[in-house]
Amino acid sequence: MNIEKLKAILEDVKKGDLDVGDALDKLRDLPFKELGHSKVDMHRELRKGYPEVIFCAGKTVAQVKDIVGSMLDENINILATRASEEMYAAVKAICYDAVYSEIAKTITIKLQETIIPSSTISIVTAGTSDIPVAEEAAVTAEFFGNKVDRVFDVGVAGIHRLTHTIDNIRAARVVVVVAGMEGALPSIVAGLIDKPVIAVPTSVGYGASFGGIAALLGMLNSCASGVSVVNIDNGFGAGYIASMINKL
Amino acid sequence: MNIEKLKAILEDVKKGDLDVGDALDKLRDLPFKELGHSKVDMHRELRKGYPEVIFCAGKTVAQVKDIVGSMLDENINILATRASEEMYAAVKAICYDAVYSEIAKTITIKLQETIIPSSTISIVTAGTSDIPVAEEAAVTAEFFGNKVDRVFDVGVAGIHRLTHTIDNIRAARVVVVVAGMEGALPSIVAGLIDKPVIAVPTSVGYGASFGGIAALLGMLNSCASGVSVVNIDNGFGAGYIASMINKL
Amino acid sequence: MNIEKLKAILEDVKKGDLDVGDALDKLRDLPFKELGHSKVDMHRELRKGYPEVIFCAGKTVAQVKDIVGSMLDENINILATRASEEMYAAVKAICYDAVYSEIAKTITIKLQETIIPSSTISIVTAGTSDIPVAEEAAVTAEFFGNKVDRVFDVGVAGIHRLTHTIDNIRAARVVVVVAGMEGALPSIVAGLIDKPVIAVPTSVGYGASFGGIAALLGMLNSCASGVSVVNIDNGFGAGYIASMINKL
Amino acid sequence: MNIEKLKAILEDVKKGDLDVGDALDKLRDLPFKELGHSKVDMHRELRKGYPEVIFCAGKTVAQVKDIVGSMLDENINILATRASEEMYAAVKAICYDAVYSEIAKTITIKLQETIIPSSTISIVTAGTSDIPVAEEAAVTAEFFGNKVDRVFDVGVAGIHRLTHTIDNIRAARVVVVVAGMEGALPSIVAGLIDKPVIAVPTSVGYGASFGGIAALLGMLNSCASGVSVVNIDNGFGAGYIASMINKL
Amino acid sequence: MNIEKLKAILEDVKKGDLDVGDALDKLRDLPFKELGHSKVDMHRELRKGYPEVIFCAGKTVAQVKDIVGSMLDENINILATRASEEMYAAVKAICYDAVYSEIAKTITIKLQETIIPSSTISIVTAGTSDIPVAEEAAVTAEFFGNKVDRVFDVGVAGIHRLTHTIDNIRAARVVVVVAGMEGALPSIVAGLIDKPVIAVPTSVGYGASFGGIAALLGMLNSCASGVSVVNIDNGFGAGYIASMINKL
Amino acid sequence: MNIEKLKAILEDVKKGDLDVGDALDKLRDLPFKELGHSKVDMHRELRKGYPEVIFCAGKTVAQVKDIVGSMLDENINILATRASEEMYAAVKAICYDAVYSEIAKTITIKLQETIIPSSTISIVTAGTSDIPVAEEAAVTAEFFGNKVDRVFDVGVAGIHRLTHTIDNIRAARVVVVVAGMEGALPSIVAGLIDKPVIAVPTSVGYGASFGGIAALLGMLNSCASGVSVVNIDNGFGAGYIASMINKL
Amino acid sequence: MNIEKLKAILEDVKKGDLDVGDALDKLRDLPFKELGHSKVDMHRELRKGYPEVIFCAGKTVAQVKDIVGSMLDENINILATRASEEMYAAVKAICYDAVYSEIAKTITIKLQETIIPSSTISIVTAGTSDIPVAEEAAVTAEFFGNKVDRVFDVGVAGIHRLTHTIDNIRAARVVVVVAGMEGALPSIVAGLIDKPVIAVPTSVGYGASFGGIAALLGMLNSCASGVSVVNIDNGFGAGYIASMINKL
Amino acid sequence: MNIEKLKAILEDVKKGDLDVGDALDKLRDLPFKELGHSKVDMHRELRKGYPEVIFCAGKTVAQVKDIVGSMLDENINILATRASEEMYAAVKAICYDAVYSEIAKTITIKLQETIIPSSTISIVTAGTSDIPVAEEAAVTAEFFGNKVDRVFDVGVAGIHRLTHTIDNIRAARVVVVVAGMEGALPSIVAGLIDKPVIAVPTSVGYGASFGGIAALLGMLNSCASGVSVVNIDNGFGAGYIASMINKL
């Protein structure tokens, strides 16, 4: 669209409908706006029909509603993370198609179809309390147009549960592993497969888990190759990167 | 094979050659061994013709030489990281084709060709002192059979240097960004491109940089999407993951 | 039971009632399930008639009720830690025999008798505010079938209180010492007895106690031999290990 | 005046009206009192017509009202930071001209005009959630008699937004940059301009941002010259220093 | 011996060879010395013929030699940990039977036989660089009269190596698991066996391993039951506790 | 008394009323009990007429009431710190003479007079928000029978306020200095006087004050001699030590 | 210039010399390059005749020599910080006018005169061991063309030394205060003057000074207004900012 | 002396030998110098014939020699802490009476006698490796004119050693307790006596002792009343405070 606008200006200049001086005026601010839009361009392949993402934490219900409202005009898909039920009610009021995940705390609005690759993203958790973060990753990955295979509650205390499902995990193109407490699961998984593992430490735990630091350190110090790490509880970030890799 | 073994047991039971009790005994430990063997199997496919990696830090010269020696018999490619010049001299004595990178502190022995994809891995550093870690990543990525594009010294203090080379970085399939001090570069790069960014904090810096912790925290808290992080100074890990992604 | 199922399959193969191919199909997933069950087997001696343990923190009342419900069918003893009174009410509704400890925050259901060794586990606290953690350890140890001797409020500020009870402590086979603040009591106790001491730091304290870190560090740096440490406030873990040792 | 007092003592000694011993007694404590009084003197020149500042956090509504009340008698401008709406209501009741900023949480009372220099202070934020801290800085700077140019939401994830406004920022005499998460924006801004940058880390962020520590470390380790840092969320401090510099 | 001395005093009193007053004088200091010796008494079962332990770190060669020398007179077994080769040379000069372990850095002198139980202590390491700490544990356990089964280099990056040896580990009465980096191995082992696991974090690792803190936190936060932890690199402590448990 | 008991044993042995073996049995545990009793003895002299202290934090209203009740019978003075108004109401109900300090959060019951030395304890605060901690120290010191001189709000930001009162501070026998934020006041005071300074860091502050850690570190690193430190917010501890010193 | 380039493109489009598609191509990356070039422009004005700064830490002697050599051609002033004597010898060999400060560890080459404002920068230290960092600041400030007034060893332990020199400090336009240990001096100075204070924590100290962290926290938590902070030991940064402010 | 100088000026004014104007000139700078000297006055009682203290760490041999040299002229006692043998040799060369303690690393020069109170300072250590810090405290206390009773190696691992010497400790007027590792000894001692305890954490220990932080935290969190703490390894500070208290 912006490329269209830029093209239109150039066409007008070519046709003589637009003076070079006036064109310069129009373009004066464009480079930066254009920069924004050329960034969109550059990202075109990724973002075509893609959701924009709103990080709701620290925003008011009214702010979230306003941002969603202004986006609806552009007819694009929308993903809002860390959204409360109140935020969802406000968004639902202006867009009936909005969908809320209570566990992932996400609002999604799908106005355009996305092309979905045949390969899968596997999202694995160590325990049941890691599931909200894993669901944030899963909803994110699905919304960007990926097939997701959920493998929950296969933590290292009962390693046999992992071995039961390892074939499914191996079948994926990229694996997100979500774990709290000692954060050992990504190492185990990475030692058993040959695909990139995105590790997400969670703030699950107590005592000396320090709100996820123990898990974060465990993952950073993984003795298995192929593990990279995102911030504590950052399910969105993991889902986003997994989508990037799955769509390469 | 294992399925064969299991089938054989069942056949023997059927034929009456094997008592049900004895069969139970044979089956009791099978899962674990099976797990072990299926892993070796799985790894065989992955590792065929791939270099084995030796982490030399904390090993003696003699130990490194011994490990390399035992690997040479298997006729596979070898990568040794964190290797000293003394280790190199010892390895050179038993394998004339060993190559040493003084800056990356790696020994490489290439006995077999690897298939190299046409896509590139871009390895970017903020400063000149981040180059040793970046070279460890680069040598690793090249050794696993990837084309590497080095973009060094484009840190945020002179953001214009980055803009000069951003097109090259965009052309890569995956980007490794190596930075110390405040560790801001991965965020900047990830905001300008649409490929996964593997961020490597380095222990470069002084005062409150705490041996790379400041950079690590900066990267984990990146406000740009698409950044995942490996351990401080872990160039090998970044190169390994980048190779995994580039070869998907 | 699973061994029974496996045996039945083998019997059917032997009798010819089951085709080897069909048996293979049935067994294909078994190894991993079997792994799980063989783990139960391996643990049989420990777990026969033993409670299963549910860590309630982070679970909803409904989830706890569901898990307990599904366990009741298996006719096994149940221990739920970090349980709220609401959880207890919900469990009580489906199992009248459920018992709640307000101080230890545990729900216990004893359906089967456990064999209780003659030796004792001594559970010692420095202060009165350490008692909830100590009770979690005590309830755990008792539920796994151990005799427990409680020795509370004998902290180092009044070392003479400890000396009054040291004979009781010495009579135990293994000692759990629970302490907050500076965490010195396990060192003192270990210096006076010849049995293994399991030290539990508690988050009791203020100022620079950092939620139990001061106590944890004090215990890890104990200059007395024979002290090992579990996580802050982890009464369950200490009770579990003490039971393991007492039953050796 | 004090020199006068000292001279008078010497004159009295000379005239014999004052004993040497008594003179010694009078002189013993003089330096300290002198220090105190010369400081009051020095401060009088500085503070003439300047607002006094009340840090309301940790004070009761009644205390804040009392302090404001006692200041009103001196007919000076008043700035109260970290003020609640209740505090504002109480202050409003005794001074109708009191103004409240809901976002900056400040109460301001302007009884005297301040001379405003022609140069500007630019106050920049990385995200929208950094705005409250930035507004505290802005209200502070304005109250001390400075023109403020607000440049909000130009963080590093979309560096093009910054480039759009960099000319405005360059036009300022001193720049306050407010950022949470990885805290990289001050480095970027300082690399693009030649004016002092006062960096304010905010506690905005989650996971391993540790309530602003990640941003603080990022700013302290800035690889760009010209950045100094104030405490986390200390908008007032940044506005105060910026005013000091702008008025030099 | 001291009991002998006390008995002798009492006998002398009984026989009238010793006045009650004189006996009181003799006993005046005895309670405390007696306390020391009654502690020996109390520990008699444990310590009969047991080595005394010298922690050499921070001691001079001369000090170590002196301490050993004074112990030799008592004809007891001696264990010195963290001993340098120089210390060994000095000790060897006064006791030809002294034995040095270069890898465990221990000097042992065995003058009396110890009764060795039939059960085994299994000492497991994650990597080869954890072996020195494991050897300190092994030498300690052996010296206190235990059979030790070494299972080295079975870390989580290649979990199949662990499964090959799990039966040996299960056969032990108590297991010491030594691991650096992310410290996940004790969790894995404890999930597979039903014996107490003593976890020893090592300072092996780099980057964000923080000299063993990452491993320590991983072990404290283990989601598997039955794991207790000793200080970083404290192989002696682990071997001592394991011996205590094995001899119960 | 114990010496008497010991003598009696010896006499019985002498008379033949007690067998040597039985005497040995009686003596085995004596040292510990003796230790315990000599401590009670020693404490009796110290505590005669002294208040007992109850740390209320973490106790229930009922527990506090019970403890006070049982103490009232012994007719001793009582100090309860960190007491809520509810606790005070409950105590008041059983002892009309109980006095509550709202700011210090203390309950005091004075049943016996204490001898008050003529020297003074000076209690100094940096800011007004440090006063609650200072009052806990003051009430404690007064209750143990000391004259207290309060010098509040003389922090380093306005050092002239300190100089106005330094003579009063110098007149004290021991000085307690309470400060939050950067905790510099104890250094300043200790540099100006020649009496011991007990420094109390407070959790007052925000941002990187970390709940008093900044102040604590500032005080530990004081470049002035004569400063020792107690825990964060530990007004009671400071008042107790100051009383000890003042009464020497 | 760039506007010219943009105009030329538009003219070419108008004249039909440039296809709209090709024009689009040319415009796509322009913003970024433009950003780069406008930055160089902006910097040209700033940097004319200014020294370039080389941070020598982590560079080899050869690298420093090379960088200096390439700069000499541009006939600009050069400042090298953290330079060793070996580096100085190498630089001296190619530029006889190079000057070395042994205490500040700086090499300076002054090829062009700088305009020096009449106002002064005051550089203050708490102790003698803070002088190297202060000298780095002083040399930096002098090299950028400022008059520097050194006021050393006036720390808070002997506050009277400070009062002796406070008039000199007040006379400066901006003050750099360098302090280790508890880092209280900047607060004291800022409380006595009305000029901006740049605080530099130093790694001087021992025990719980943690290599300057105690001083850093002390400065960040300063209760005096007008203090901003740079990294530990960052004398260069402080001198640079002070110069920026002094030259406004 | 300075009071003498001031008195002389006043006398001259009185006698008319000095003009009031000239006297003012002479006095102009005096207030601050006077401040210094009035501080000496104020400290006269403490310091009469007292050693001045030089902290040698971070000073060169030449600097230490110079400082000692300039002090010798004033005929006062001198204490230099953290002094190397080289420093001692240099000092010995200019003052034959200088005495060096190899273990405390102190140089002492005693030119004047000090009055020694009859009461004692008890200096207690947990282990033998805490002795150097304890000796620094002891030498300091002795040099300021106190009798010192050394009680070494009575740590909590063998609490009976402490009970052996507790009477001696009780006899002191103030007690310094030096301990590393878990730092529990000061709590134990303070629980057994009624005198102020100055606790000194030492950096002795390994693993998670973190250079004395574990001991420091243990001491700050002491559950016994009467313990205040100085910096890690700060034997001098403890000896200084103990002397202050002993001489009250």
Side-chain angles (χ1 to χ4, degrees), chain C residues 161-242:
Chain C
R161 289 176 299 180
L162 175 61
T163 58
H164 275 143
T165 54
I166 195 66
D167 287 343
N168 289 349
I169 297 174
R170 269 186 200 134
R173 196 165 197 234
V174 54
V175 181
V176 172
V177 184
V178 184
M181 303 185 79
E182 83 268 63
L185 190 58
S187 295
I188 310 295
V189 171
L192 294 173
I193 70 172
D194 65 335
K195 300 290 168 34
V197 169
I198 315 294
V200 192
T202 66
S203 51
V204 169
Y206 59 106
S209 72
F210 303 132
I213 296 180
L216 171 63
L217 292 182
M219 291 166 179
L220 284 170
N221 287 288
S222 173
C223 48
S225 299
V227 178
S228 66
V229 186
V230 297
N231 204 353
I232 297 165
D233 290 338
N234 190 5
F236 164 73
Y240 188 98
I241 296 168

Side-chain angles (χ1 to χ4, degrees), chain D residues 39 42 170 191-192 228-229, chain G residues 39 42 170 191-192 228-229:
Chain D
K39 181 154 179 301
M42 170 205 44
R170 268 179 202 142
L192 294 173
S228 66
V229 186
Chain G
K39 181 155 179 303
M42 172 203 47
R170 268 181 201 139
L192 294 173
S228 65
V229 186

Side-chain angles (χ1 to χ4, degrees), chain D residues 25-126:
Chain D
D25 275 355
K26 289 203 174 197
L27 288 174
R28 204 175 47 172
D29 283 339
L30 199 59
F32 293 108
K33 290 184 185 155
E34 169 67 7
L35 174 63
H37 288 292
S38 74
K39 181 154 179 301
V40 168
D41 262 359
M42 170 205 44
H43 271 205
R44 199 183 310 160
E45 238 167 282
L46 168 67
R47 288 185 175 158
K48 202 164 275 181
Y50 263 51
E52 288 288 324
V53 182
I54 308 158
F55 182 69
C56 298
K59 295 203 173 67
T60 66
V61 171
Q63 284 175 323
V64 170
K65 190 182 172 183
D66 282 358
I67 298 171
V68 170
S70 71
M71 281 178 168
L72 284 173
D73 303 340
E74 301 188 35
N75 199 35
I76 53 172
N77 293 337
I78 297 168
L79 169 62
T81 63
R82 313 274 161 122
S84 66
E85 293 193 36
E86 290 70 29
M87 289 172 180
Y88 173 57
V91 167
K92 187 84 177 177
I94 58 171
C95 175
Y96 188 76
D97 294 334
V99 176
Y100 187 60
S101 162
E102 272 186 38
I103 192 154
K105 302 293 173 206
T106 50
I107 304 168
T108 46
I109 300 177
K110 202 128 198 191
L111 302 180
Q112 305 202 4
E113 280 309 300
T114 46
I115 297 147
I116 300 180
S118 60
S119 59
T120 318
I121 295 170
S122 180
I123 298 185
V124 182
T125 77

